[in-house]
Amino acid sequence: MDCIKMVVAMKNGISSCPNCKAIDEVIIENAFVDAFQLLADNFDDVLDSVLNTIEDVLKDDTELKRVKQLEKDISSIETKKAG
């Protein structure tokens, strides 16, 4: 009998079945919009943090020097291997 009520509720909407345990679509929509706004509001903070980290890494040329040294080492090894 409950299955029949559920089918009727699905066809005619929640209002046709007062005992239906469904959540109104508007409540779900509002919850999604609220959650999305929270994420969007915090996005600027996250973006600023990522950009600051990237700037800090780029300012420190230690990594760049390390990459250049590794490239020299690779070139040296390839030269020795070929010769």
Side-chain angles (χ1 to χ4, degrees):
M1 187 72 159
D2 287 337
C3 291
I4 294 172
K5 290 180 184 178
M6 289 174 57
V7 171
V8 170
M10 287 190 311
K11 287 183 180 178
N12 301 325
I14 296 172
S15 58
S16 66
C17 182
N19 296 325
C20 185
K21 296 181 180 172
I23 298 173
D24 192 10
E25 187 175 343
V26 173
I27 294 171
I28 295 172
E29 287 176 5
N30 289 338
F32 177 80
V33 170
D34 290 345
F36 188 80
Q37 279 184 314
L38 286 172
L39 288 172
D41 289 345
N42 290 330
F43 181 74
D44 289 339
D45 295 339
V46 171
L47 183 60
D48 288 341
S49 174
V50 169
L51 290 176
N52 287 335
T53 302
I54 290 172
E55 282 179 16
D56 290 344
V57 169
L58 292 177
K59 284 180 186 175
D60 182 17
D61 63 336
T62 304
E63 294 299 319
L64 184 58
K65 289 178 183 175
R66 185 170 179 222
V67 169
K68 287 181 181 179
Q69 182 60 46
L70 288 172
E71 287 173 347
K72 286 180 184 178
D73 293 347
I74 290 171
S75 178
S76 175
I77 291 171
E78 287 175 344
T79 303
K80 289 179 184 177
K81 188 176 180 182

